Every structure is written in structure tokens, then in C-alpha cells.
Amino acid sequence: MIPKSEIKYIQTLFQKKFRDAEGCYLIEGPKILDEALTAAQTAVKKIFGLSEWIDQHEFRYPDIEMNVVSSFELEKISQLKTPNQVIALMAKPERSGIVSPQQDIVLALDGIQDPGNLGTIVRIADWFGIPQVVCSKDCADVYGGKVVQAAMGSIFRVPVCYEDLPVWIVRQKRTPVYGAVLDGTPLKQVKHVTSGVLVIGNESKGIRPEVAALLTEKITIEKTGGAESLNAAVATGILLAYLK
Amino acid sequence: MIPKSEIKYIQTLFQKKFRDAEGCYLIEGPKILDEALTAAQTAVKKIFGLSEWIDQHEFRYPDIEMNVVSSFELEKISQLKTPNQVIALMAKPERSGIVSPQQDIVLALDGIQDPGNLGTIVRIADWFGIPQVVCSKDCADVYGGKVVQAAMGSIFRVPVCYEDLPVWIVRQKRTPVYGAVLDGTPLKQVKHVTSGVLVIGNESKGIRPEVAALLTEKITIEKTGGAESLNAAVATGILLAYLK
């Protein structure tokens, strides 16, 4: 049993403005919680789980507050159609002033608004060991339920921050600044690199003009068939696999 | 106004068994319908749309049966949370006995069960001009609502068929048979090719043993970071971009 006020508090965190105000977010399900307990244990503030889950875990983590909830309560605090055993309240990490090594590729996302795409991109960044993902302020919130679900444990490993993208690109002085566009140099003619920025644009509008003006190399994934576009996450994967 | 029996009939097509029995499927929204009217006009059997949409289109397609429906009716025959102006009843194309040119890469999907992944893969296949996608019988149904939505117009351009995959691989005699695995040759050491089969396995289980035994070259997308896996559609994009 948890008090109604706690249920209400958790439900407020479904919304970005409350996540921002509280510096907290939610994760759901045993798999991602296991990853959190491994990769970001100090960020786990409270756990709400069915008794089966709590019974198996509480003795291993005596310092974390664990609350047994009923299926009915779990449903109330879940954002999933089918709630999955356990939900944790997480503290957001401090991401301002991240400085990543110059000798690496940093990913910059310009207006990625689909939560599933953003989460998948964070997972791809994790796969390729990208040290930092910089989002424009109109990207989806990386701590939203659907993004966290799609990113899986990668959310704990890849630092994601939000910046005024044109300002950040100028300030960080990293080159080259690659961008995925429809009329650039074919990918296979681009040299492999070890450092720089890769900009991925919005799913339908692409990279906005203020950012496009700062690109030093425009890259195109050549199309030989009929599809109008590639999914933004798929394009990110193709470009990182090639450049890295 | 459409009769209740018609509404019921359309709703049965939300299920695979009825789509199979009737040889029909549904598409939703003006964008994909425009693509259908361009790429597969003879397959469009009936259209149900709000009067705004019908008024703008019926004079251009006098041979297609068009029915004006109310927002309330559209909601009943839609599989989307927010129905989008128009729904069409489509005839499934005949896909048995497709023979694609030997000088090209064919995609074989082994147990891709997530509809969004399957749709995205069909769209990637379309981008790279893949002449055929062969699915194992336990893949998601390519004519299901979510797959069609994710594939967008690519569903009309890429022939997708269902086969007993090990039998098909042996019978088709195409080589090499590439497969995406976790312990194969690093992608960058694989030579570019112009023909063969690329097998992509299930999202969590990978390629099943009966199929893995038939691979002639195992490929791995090298991981330098922490993520456990790459999304199946992203992996497909990376491999096709590299191999083609």
C-alpha cells in the first residue's frame, strides 16, 4: 500500500514540466531496473514493485527504499498498457558542462520529436560508444516514458544534454561538422574520421537552416529505390557505423 | 453513411485471419492513400473518407468506389487513436512465385515480430532498392495496421512473401548467405557484394539455429560502447548501406 498522495506525485512525473521541476523521472520493468541498479545505483531513489519482485531484491539493496504495491496500484503509476512488475523513481543526472574528449564523434540532434526515435538513437549512440548526445531544445524529453523505454539501459550510460544548437556548434569548435542531408556527398565518398560532430535533423523537416549553415560536410545516404525517406534512427545508425 | 454490416466487415480486417481469408487489408490517412493511388491504383478497392477528402478526390478517380463517412463512423473503422480523414480497403497483391534477379541482394527476415520493426525494415528495403523481402512464417503480418503505418508507401513497392525460411534458403541457391550475428566477421572486413541473401534475426533471440546453419558468412556490427543490442531495423539499415 502506498498513500494516495504518493500515487498522485508519481503521476505528475508523466509530464515533462514536473520532471524538470523535481529533477526526477520514472523507469519501468525488471530489465531496465536491473540495468539501473548496475549502472546508476545511486540515482535510484525509490522502488515500487509487486511483492514477488520486492521479495527477491530488497535484501540485496538495503539502502534503497522499496515499497510493495498491489497490481491495482502499479497500474495507476504505470505509463504502460501492461505494467511490468516494478517502477522506480530516478534522480536525473547533472548534465550541464559535460566536456567530452576532442578525439571522438559527438552526436547533435536537431528537432528529433518522436520519442521512439530519440530513445533508439540514444541506444545506437551507446552501441557505438558516443561520449555525448546534444539535443536542440525542441527535441523530445529524454526522460519521458516512451524515450526511456526505447533507449533501455543506454539512458544510464550516454550523457544527453539540451542546448541552443547553433550556439553550441559554434562554441564547441569541434570539426568537421557533418550533417545528414538529401543532397550532399554520397556516404561512401566520405573519409572515415575519429572526431567531429554529426548532426541528425528532424524526421520530416530535416536540419533547420540556422544549423545547416554551420555544417562543414554534408552527407547523403544514397538511395537506389523508391522510399521517400529513411527513419532518423536508421540514418543515425548507418552514418555512425560508417564514420566510426 | 455506411451500413453497419460494412463497418463490421472492415473491423474483421483488423485481424490477420480475416485479412488472409479475404485477401484484403486496410490503409489509413491521406499520405499513404496518395501513394497507393500512384503506385498501386488497381489494388484500391473501396475508399471511406470524410466529405472534405472525398470531395477533393472523387472526380479524379471515377472508377474507384468512394463512400463519405462521418467522423464517428471513421473512428469505428480506424485502428489509429486519432483517425486521419480516410481509410481504403486494398486487395493484397499476389506474391507467390516471385523471382528476383540473381544480381541483387535479397533480404530474409527470421522471426521479426515487432510490427514497427517490420514496417521500418520494408521502408529501408525500398530505400536501397531491394527487389524482394522473404519473411519466415512467424514474422509479423506485413498487412497489419502498425506494419503498414511504419512502412508507409514502401508496402506498395517492395514484394514481401512468407516462406519456410530454411527450405527457401536451400532452394533459392543464392550465395553468399550473410547473417547478422554477435560473433561474426567485423562488418568493415566484409567485401562489398552485388548479390546474395542477407538474413536478419529476431529482436531478442537472433537467427534460429536451423537458419544459422545455412549462413555462408556471419557479420557483426562492431560495438564499442555499452548497449546490449541494436534494434533489428537499425542493424538492417547499417548492413544494407554497407553491402550495397
Side-chain angles (χ1 to χ4, degrees):
Chain A
M1 275 287 291
I2 50 171
K4 276 196 180 158
S5 59
E6 183 110 49
I7 292 178
K8 282 213 171 136
Y9 175 74
I10 295 169
Q11 289 170 338
T12 63
L13 300 176
F14 297 176
Q15 290 176 60
K16 181 178 185 302
K17 64 175 176 182
F18 290 104
R19 289 194 296 270
D20 286 348
E22 296 292 316
C24 290
Y25 68 105
L26 303 165
I27 61 173
E28 301 205 35
K31 195 160 187 305
I32 189 167
L33 193 52
D34 274 351
E35 290 210 58
L37 290 167
T38 307
Q41 195 178 139
T42 56
V44 183
K45 293 177 75 168
K46 280 187 188 182
I47 295 177
F48 306 91
L50 300 179
S51 55
E52 307 90 274
W53 193 93
I54 301 285
D55 289 349
Q56 282 176 22
H57 291 81
E58 62 184 345
F59 66 94
R60 287 163 56 194
Y61 305 99
D63 297 338
I64 300 174
E65 183 187 322
M66 299 214 185
N67 302 273
V68 174
V69 295
S70 65
S71 306
F72 179 73
E73 286 172 323
L74 192 70
E75 214 164 287
K76 287 203 158 184
I77 58 172
S78 172
Q79 294 173 85
L80 301 178
K81 256 193 204 162
T82 319
N84 191 0
Q85 294 186 64
V86 65
I87 289 174
L89 181 66
M90 303 286 296
K92 278 198 208 176
E94 182 50 64
R95 296 296 195 211
S96 65
I98 300 169
V99 180
S100 29
Q102 281 290 333
Q103 285 310 309
D104 218 328
I105 295 174
V106 164
L107 199 56
L109 306 180
D110 187 25
I112 297 291
Q113 288 172 339
D114 179 84
N117 275 346
L118 180 58
T120 305
I121 289 174
V122 171
R123 195 170 146 204
I124 294 167
D126 187 20
W127 179 274
F128 288 111
I130 298 300
Q132 187 182 5
V133 175
V134 181
C135 295
S136 66
K137 300 206 169 175
D138 60 344
C139 282
D141 178 24
V142 75
Y143 297 105
K146 283 186 189 165
V147 181
V148 173
Q149 220 63 33
M152 305 207 261
S154 298
I155 195 111
F156 310 124
R157 288 181 294 263
V158 180
V160 179
C161 62
Y162 288 76
E163 299 278 356
D164 182 329
L165 210 52
V167 173
W168 178 84
I169 291 174
V170 170
R171 206 183 53 209
Q172 57 91 40
K173 296 200 177 80
R174 228 173 257 267
T175 54
V177 181
Y178 293 102
V181 299
L182 288 171
D183 57 349
T185 309
L187 180 58
K188 283 177 184 164
Q189 293 172 27
V190 175
K191 285 191 193 129
H192 296 271
V193 289
T194 51
S195 61
V197 178
L198 172 62
V199 183
I200 302 289
N202 173 273
E203 293 86 351
S204 57
K205 285 174 265 171
I207 298 174
R208 80 191 77 198
E210 306 91 280
V211 175
L214 300 170
L215 299 178
T216 61
E217 189 149 7
K218 296 179 181 179
I219 312 180
T220 295
I221 300 166
E222 275 176 295
K223 156 166 135 172
T224 43
E228 203 179 274
S229 64
L230 272 177
N231 168 292
V234 174
T236 307
I238 292 173
L239 291 168
L240 285 182
Y242 187 85
L243 292 176
K244 283 277 286 186
Chain B
M1 275 286 290
I2 48 173
K4 275 195 182 157
S5 59
E6 183 110 50
I7 291 178
K8 283 213 172 133
Y9 174 75
I10 296 170
Q11 289 169 337
T12 63
L13 299 176
F14 296 176
Q15 292 175 60
K16 180 177 186 301
K17 65 176 177 183
F18 290 104
R19 290 193 297 269
D20 286 348
E22 295 292 317
C24 290
Y25 67 104
L26 303 165
I27 61 173
E28 300 204 35
K31 195 162 186 307
I32 189 167
L33 192 53
D34 273 352
E35 291 209 57
L37 290 167
T38 308
Q41 195 177 139
T42 56
V44 183
K45 293 177 75 167
K46 279 187 190 184
I47 295 177
F48 305 91
L50 300 179
S51 55
E52 306 90 275
W53 193 93
I54 301 285
D55 288 350
Q56 282 176 22
H57 291 82
E58 65 184 344
F59 66 94
R60 288 164 55 194
Y61 304 100
D63 296 339
I64 299 174
E65 183 188 324
M66 300 212 184
N67 302 275
V68 173
V69 294
S70 65
S71 306
F72 179 73
E73 286 171 323
L74 191 71
E75 213 164 288
K76 287 204 159 182
I77 59 173
S78 171
Q79 294 173 87
L80 301 177
K81 256 192 205 163
T82 318
N84 191 358
Q85 293 185 61
V86 63
I87 290 174
L89 181 67
M90 304 285 296
K92 278 197 207 176
E94 183 49 66
R95 295 296 195 211
S96 65
I98 299 169
V99 180
S100 30
Q102 281 291 333
Q103 285 310 311
D104 218 327
I105 295 175
V106 165
L107 199 56
L109 306 179
D110 186 24
I112 297 291
Q113 288 171 338
D114 178 86
N117 275 345
L118 180 58
T120 306
I121 290 174
V122 172
R123 194 170 145 203
I124 294 167
D126 187 20
W127 180 274
F128 289 110
I130 299 300
Q132 187 181 7
V133 175
V134 181
C135 295
S136 65
K137 300 205 169 175
D138 60 344
C139 282
D141 178 24
V142 75
Y143 297 106
K146 284 185 189 165
V147 181
V148 173
Q149 218 63 33
M152 306 206 262
S154 299
I155 195 113
F156 310 125
R157 289 181 292 263
V158 180
V160 178
C161 63
Y162 289 76
E163 298 279 356
D164 181 330
L165 209 51
V167 173
W168 179 84
I169 291 174
V170 170
R171 204 184 54 209
Q172 58 89 39
K173 296 200 176 81
R174 225 174 260 266
T175 55
V177 182
Y178 293 101
V181 299
L182 288 171
D183 58 350
T185 309
L187 179 58
K188 284 177 183 164
Q189 293 171 27
V190 175
K191 285 191 193 131
H192 296 270
V193 290
T194 50
S195 60
V197 178
L198 171 62
V199 182
I200 302 289
N202 172 274
E203 294 85 351
S204 56
K205 286 175 264 170
I207 298 173
R208 79 193 78 201
E210 307 90 280
V211 175
L214 301 170
L215 300 177
T216 62
E217 188 148 8
K218 296 179 181 181
I219 311 180
T220 296
I221 299 166
E222 275 177 294
K223 155 167 135 171
T224 42
E228 203 178 275
S229 63
L230 273 177
N231 169 291
V234 173
T236 307
I238 292 173
L239 292 168
L240 286 181
Y242 187 85
L243 291 176
K244 283 278 286 187

